[in-house]
Amino acid sequence: MPDCLFCRIIAGEIPATIIASNAHCVAFADINPQAPVHALVIPKKHVSGFIDLGPEDDILIAQMAHLVNDVAGKLGIAPSGFRVVCNQGVNGGQTVGHLHWHVLGGRSMGWPPG
C-alpha cells in the first residue's frame, strides 16, 4: 500500500533500525519509545489491523509471535520480562493503519495499562 508508513519502511523507502526479520515479518526500533526497550513487529504484507486477521493468516500470526521472542532475546529483555501490545482502531490507540505489535521492556510495566 503506497501511502502506508510501515509498507514504505518494508520497501526501504523510509529508514528504520531493523532488529530482526523472517519470511513474513520485520521488527524495528520504535522512533518514539515508551519504555527503555521498544520495538515494533509488523507483517511484511499489508494488514490494516488485528481485526483484519483471518484463518488464512495463521502462519503470519505464528511468525510474528516467534519474531517477538527473537527480538526480546536480542534486546536482552527476555529474562526479566516484557509486554506485547497490539492497539486496534481509534479507541484502542492505533495510530498507524498497519498491524503492529509493540514489544516493551527494560522496566517494570504498570497495571492497568490503559
Side-chain angles (χ1 to χ4, degrees):
M1 191 162 262
D3 59 340
C4 173
L5 173 68
F6 290 167
C7 287
R8 293 183 66 206
I9 288 172
I10 292 164
E13 297 171 12
I14 295 175
T17 303
I18 304 299
I19 299 164
S21 66
N22 62 31
H24 297 277
C25 43
V26 64
F28 55 91
D30 193 298
I31 63 168
N32 185 25
Q34 301 301 303
V37 175
H38 189 169
L40 299 175
V41 173
I42 67 170
K44 289 181 178 178
K45 83 170 193 174
H46 185 84
V47 177
S48 294
F50 194 84
I51 201 164
D52 299 301
L53 292 166
E56 69 279 4
D57 295 309
D58 288 353
I59 292 172
L60 171 67
I61 296 164
Q63 289 299 307
M64 288 182 74
H66 291 304
L67 196 57
V68 165
N69 287 337
D70 289 348
V71 166
K74 283 184 178 186
L75 297 179
I77 58 175
S80 59
F82 57 94
R83 179 170 287 164
V84 180
V85 176
C86 180
N87 300 322
Q88 171 59 49
V90 175
N91 283 350
Q94 185 178 7
T95 58
V96 177
H98 187 118
L99 176 66
H100 56 287
W101 294 354
H102 298 262
V103 181
L104 302 143
R107 66 168 168 82
S108 180
M109 299 290 150
W111 196 263

